[in-house]
Amino acid sequence: FIHCSSYKKILFAWVMHQRSVIDSILARLDTENCTVKCISLIADESSLRVRLSEDISKGIRTADVIERSLARIPMYQILDTIKIDTSGKTISQIADEIKAL
């Protein structure tokens, strides 16, 4: 139901740590008249631990998310995507970087 001519930008936000996940989503979209930019939001281990620990303390996530997420860090590095390091940045700063692409 997404028509590229109707929108200037569309952002999909999922855990996409494998190329097959990205390809599966893109295969279902008509991207003929679109520019597709694949972006990976990455963070260093320390920042990721802090963010996930905050979510755990709020009851948003369970403790097992930390090890699973840390294990995925190298997977993002090998993806053919634009990398934006979110370590130490605010949501607004990250959004500005995405908008600038």
Side-chain angles (χ1 to χ4, degrees), residues 10-57:
I10 301 170
L11 178 69
F12 293 97
W14 283 290
V15 174
M16 292 187 259
H17 60 292
Q18 297 175 329
R19 188 70 212 187
S20 61
V21 176
I22 297 168
D23 292 343
S24 175
I25 293 167
L26 291 177
R28 296 182 184 128
L29 299 174
D30 176 6
T31 60
E32 184 177 335
N33 296 312
C34 301
T35 300
V36 176
K37 295 181 183 180
C38 296
I39 305 164
S40 295
L41 301 179
I42 59 173
D44 61 41
E45 184 176 326
S46 176
S47 295
L48 189 56
R49 279 186 187 278
V50 168
R51 290 178 188 159
L52 294 174
S53 294
E54 289 171 357
D55 286 354
I56 292 166
S57 67

